[in-house]
Amino acid sequence: MVQYIAGVDIGNATTETALGKIVDGQLLICVSGIAETTGIKGTMENIRGVKNSLLAAAEKLGIQLADVSLVRINEATPVIGDFAMETITETIITESTLIGHNPDTPGGLGLGIGKTVRLAEVATAAPSEKYIVVVSEEYDFVDVAKLINLRVAEGYKIEGAILKKDDGVLINNRLEKKIPIVDEVEMIQGVPLGMLCAVEVAAPGSCIDLLANPYGIATVFGLSPQETRQIVPIAKALIGNRSAVVIKTPAGEVRERRIPAGEIIVQGEQRKYQAAVDGGAAAIMEIVEKAKKIRDVTGTTGTNVGGMLERVRLEMANLTDENYNEVQIKDLLAVDTIVPQEVRGNLANEFSMEKAVGIAAMVKTRKLHMERLAEALSRELKISIEIGGVEGSMAVRGALTTPGTEKPLLVLDIGAGSTDACLLSSDWQTRPVHLAGAGNMVTMLISAELGLDDFQLAEDIKKYPLAKVESLYHIRHEDGNVQFFDDPIASNFFARVVILKPEAWRPVPTRKNLERIRQVRREAKEKVFIYNILRALRKVSLTGNICEFEHVVLVGGSSLDFELGNMVTETLSYYGIVSGKGNVRGTEGPRNAVATGLLLSYLEESCDA
């Protein structure tokens, strides 16, 4: 008798299939299929992704979906990640006190101090004063340069300029006396006139010095110690900028407003544990570990984190048609990060980097909604569907097909949403652990810290190495090696940081240099992948001692990461553990472990029967 049986692993990012041809209870051939997961894992939207994955596998065997007699799906546990601000420190400016940004074309160099005045009104101002001219968009750059040169020749002391248009370099090139120029100030009409002002422009590749230092600002404006404390938020918001303007107004005010992020409440088996989000990720993870087996996680009402966790609960209730009050969070991963926050009252779209806590929350699986998904799949595909085992147990069965492995076996399944560990004993007993946080969390951290608004771009930064295009004929890889080319590199890549994707390079649209992008990428992986791997190993161990394991097999989509294998090897070698990527069925690499495990477990159960 010939049967076609499929194991389907519905993941957060991809849906994988292992389709086997079984003759008289023996697996003769097995092929794989993969498709993008449609919708959030474990919901009705997954149907299309499952169908696409099955079709890809069926095509390899030359059969139709109608020929498949049984599909076994995993118990899919959804994981949702989000950010909760640790401390929202808003820099609030009134009376237009601050302009500090990084325009592409600031002009000149150095520091200029004087009173703000419109360019057209310089001729009627007192010649004894020093001035910073304010130039609206109605002026052409040639006329601006002529007027400034004329007024300087007449004896007026023009020490700097603030422009609406992006003409800083063009104007500076035509000046007889060079001055610092900050351009691209959108709300030029908001710049207060007749007020003491300081303009600073740093050299290319450098950052401003004096105006990013509260004591430097105090020196320029003659501030008292109390006033100096008040302008600390200004200095902080200007750190890392190439250009800045600070204006002192009599009624101007700068203040910080701290909005509490709230507390996370973890309900364990015996008692509740609380931690303030202000305490950072370490404080949150401490109570997560103390609770051991988590019944639910909530946040204080009316706060950032409380709202975030309730959104997770509400979203999952809507997607699974479950009662909102019955949706529970079974695990949590918190990591420290920084995110850009807009400075309120700004004139040039200034942002300040503020501390935040990134959180991945795992919603407790209820078999009811998985049964509903199985029923819907069966109706759609007209195939018998059944729910197989949990992901960790299935992954270890699939990983056991890696050449050179044997029982007992410890497997780490690192996917997009979760990190699973499972220990398979010599007598086939499994000990699975399912934790929130994996590849998608890393991508989210990269996106936040680099200020990107493109998830796929952050995903590419995570997955592929970087290089800097230093000329039209050579690039410098992130490891320092130089590669030369016979043909010229496309001019749009020149002097840019690029992602070395196999199919085509992709430029990174950020001012961050290669070293900073690489640092953000590796730190994000350490905060999520490495931390969760160690957490999973401690949980799967009966003694809590990682050193009891000798070797670990890595599987899952994130195991394909170009640098993760070396990072894991380096970390686990400290504990005397040897790690390596699995090669499922000797052909699939670290992919398809869960799907293969679902198929093999069917064969084992059939033999037992």
Side-chain angles (χ1 to χ4, degrees):
M1 183 179 70
V2 178
Q3 288 180 295
Y4 293 98
I5 308 296
V8 177
D9 172 22
I10 305 169
N12 284 277
T14 58
T15 298
E16 300 178 358
T17 294
L19 176 60
K21 180 179 180 180
I22 300 171
V23 179
D24 297 328
Q26 298 296 315
L27 179 63
L28 293 190
I29 187 172
C30 182
V31 297
S32 300
I34 187 170
E36 183 179 350
T37 296
T38 49
I40 292 178
K41 175 179 177 179
T43 65
M44 294 297 176
E45 296 176 13
N46 297 160
I47 293 175
R48 183 160 52 89
V50 171
K51 185 176 182 179
N52 292 339
S53 182
L54 280 167
L55 284 170
E59 186 178 352
K60 293 179 182 179
L61 280 183
I63 64 172
Q64 303 297 316
L65 282 188
D67 297 324
V68 179
S69 54
L70 175 65
V71 173
R72 306 187 81 225
I73 62 174
N74 58 315
E75 291 185 18
T77 301
V79 179
I80 298 176
D82 204 343
F83 285 108
M85 294 304 299
E86 174 190 329
T87 304
I88 304 178
T89 308
E90 291 183 323
T91 304
I92 302 174
I93 292 113
T94 60
E95 301 273 341
S96 309
T97 316
L98 161 73
I99 304 171
H101 66 143
N102 282 310
D104 293 326
T105 55
L109 192 67
L111 177 71
I113 303 172
K115 285 187 177 180
T116 51
V117 62
R118 290 192 181 94
L119 180 59
E121 297 173 359
V122 175
T124 59
S128 58
E129 295 276 4
K130 294 181 179 181
Y131 295 104
I132 303 294
V133 294
V134 180
V135 185
S136 61
E137 72 274 16
E138 62 198 52
Y139 287 90
D140 182 76
F141 67 88
V142 175
D143 295 333
V144 173
K146 285 180 179 178
L147 279 172
I148 292 177
N149 285 333
L150 176 63
R151 299 300 173 232
V152 170
E154 292 172 350
Y156 288 96
K157 301 171 185 176
I158 297 179
E159 303 296 322
I162 305 172
L163 312 179
K164 169 73 178 285
K165 296 165 73 175
D166 61 345
D167 295 336
V169 173
L170 295 172
I171 293 171
N172 185 68
N173 290 341
R174 291 164 171 77
L175 295 182
E176 295 174 6
K177 175 196 171 186
K178 304 299 182 183
I179 59 174
I181 303 172
V182 171
D183 58 5
E184 299 181 50
V185 177
E186 284 296 320
M187 298 175 64
I188 196 75
Q189 70 279 2
V191 176
L193 301 172
M195 302 298 172
L196 186 60
C197 173
V199 177
E200 184 177 8
V201 175
S206 300
C207 301
I208 59 169
D209 179 41
L210 191 133
L211 294 183
N213 175 5
Y215 302 108
I217 298 175
T219 302
V220 170
F221 295 107
L223 303 181
S224 66
Q226 183 177 354
E227 290 173 320
T228 302
R229 284 195 298 272
Q230 195 180 43
I231 53 88
V232 167
I234 283 185
K236 185 175 72 170
L238 298 179
I239 291 173
N241 284 4
R242 188 186 163 194
S243 63
V245 176
V246 174
I247 305 170
K248 187 175 187 296
T249 62
E253 180 185 2
V254 181
R255 67 182 187 274
E256 286 188 317
R257 184 178 71 170
R258 292 184 176 270
I259 301 178
E263 290 189 336
I264 283 181
I265 304 161
V266 177
Q267 177 65 61
E269 286 289 303
Q270 304 297 328
R271 53 166 292 191
K272 287 184 179 179
Y273 300 88
Q274 292 183 236
V277 180
D278 290 350
I284 295 170
M285 294 312 296
E286 183 180 349
I287 65 168
V288 170
E289 295 304 314
K290 282 182 178 179
K292 294 183 180 177
K293 190 173 181 180
I294 297 174
R295 292 173 56 188
D296 199 10
V297 180
T298 57
T300 46
T301 57
T303 63
N304 203 308
V305 71
M308 190 210 82
L309 292 174
E310 291 311 301
R311 283 196 304 274
V312 169
R313 212 180 301 276
L314 181 61
E315 183 176 3
M316 291 312 304
N318 291 336
L319 289 170
T320 59
D321 293 325
E322 291 189 22
N323 189 312
Y324 168 82
N325 295 319
E326 293 180 0
V327 176
Q328 296 174 327
I329 294 172
K330 65 177 294 188
D331 188 52
L332 201 71
L333 175 68
V335 295
D336 290 319
T337 185
I338 55 173
V339 293
Q341 291 291 304
E342 186 175 6
V343 176
R344 287 183 55 195
N346 70 81
L347 296 178
N349 297 320
E350 298 92 6
F351 284 82
S352 176
M353 299 304 290
E354 303 292 353
K355 290 193 291 183
V357 174
I359 292 176
M362 179 184 291
V363 178
K364 186 174 182 179
T365 304
R366 294 186 183 278
K367 206 157 186 178
L368 177 61
H369 79 259
M370 287 306 301
E371 289 171 353
R372 289 173 181 165
L373 175 59
E375 290 170 2
L377 270 170
S378 183
R379 288 194 299 271
E380 172 73 20
L381 304 177
K382 297 179 174 57
I383 300 172
S384 178
I385 309 287
E386 70 178 31
I387 301 169
V390 295
E391 290 179 30
S393 299
M394 296 301 102
V396 76
R397 280 174 165 77
L400 197 56
T401 63
T402 296
T405 58
E406 63 178 357
K407 298 175 292 180
L409 183 67
L410 176 59
V411 169
L412 281 168
D413 182 6
I414 310 168
S418 61
T419 300
D420 301 328
C422 188
L423 180 62
L424 178 67
S425 66
S426 300
D427 59 355
W428 291 99
Q429 296 300 310
T430 58
R431 183 177 170 83
V433 171
H434 198 46
L435 302 177
N440 285 350
M441 188 69 171
V442 172
T443 302
M444 193 167 64
L445 290 175
I446 292 171
S447 179
E449 295 200 20
L450 294 179
L452 306 175
D453 193 23
D454 185 339
F455 183 87
Q456 189 55 52
L457 174 62
E459 183 80 2
D460 288 344
I461 290 173
K462 176 188 75 177
K463 292 169 63 176
Y464 303 107
L466 304 166
K468 177 69 179 290
V469 179
E470 296 188 337
S471 78
L472 293 178
Y473 289 93
H474 84 278
I475 64 174
R476 187 176 299 274
H477 291 272
E478 62 177 71
D479 63 1
N481 290 323
V482 176
Q483 182 179 359
F484 292 90
F485 298 89
D486 294 330
D487 299 321
I489 299 168
S491 59
N492 61 305
F493 292 135
F494 181 66
R496 304 283 295 275
V497 175
V498 295
I499 306 168
L500 301 179
K501 299 182 67 173
E503 63 274 16
W505 295 355
R506 181 175 185 178
V508 183
T510 175
R511 291 193 179 97
K512 303 285 192 307
N513 59 31
L514 184 148
E515 290 75 19
R516 177 56 182 158
I517 298 172
R518 180 178 183 271
Q519 179 188 17
V520 168
R521 183 192 74 211
R522 288 184 64 88
E523 286 181 353
K525 291 177 182 179
E526 288 171 359
K527 290 175 182 176
V528 179
F529 287 141
I530 302 302
Y531 180 87
N532 244 4
I533 285 170
L534 295 177
R535 188 162 73 111
L537 293 181
R538 291 191 184 96
K539 284 184 174 293
V540 81
S541 168
L542 291 172
T543 62
N545 183 6
I546 295 176
C547 297
E548 72 179 64
F549 304 116
E550 294 183 2
H551 55 268
V552 172
V553 177
L554 301 178
V555 297
S558 291
S559 297
L560 294 167
D561 184 286
F562 76 99
E563 65 184 348
L564 181 60
N566 290 337
M567 293 175 70
V568 174
T569 297
E570 184 179 346
T571 300
L572 295 186
S573 63
Y574 176 80
Y575 301 95
I577 301 173
V578 177
S579 67
K581 293 181 182 178
N583 188 15
V584 177
R585 306 201 308 273
T587 60
E588 303 302 307
R591 279 202 178 278
N592 209 257
V594 174
T596 298
L598 286 163
L599 174 60
L600 295 180
S601 64
Y602 166 80
L603 291 173
E604 293 164 10
E605 291 167 11
S606 298
C607 290
D608 292 341

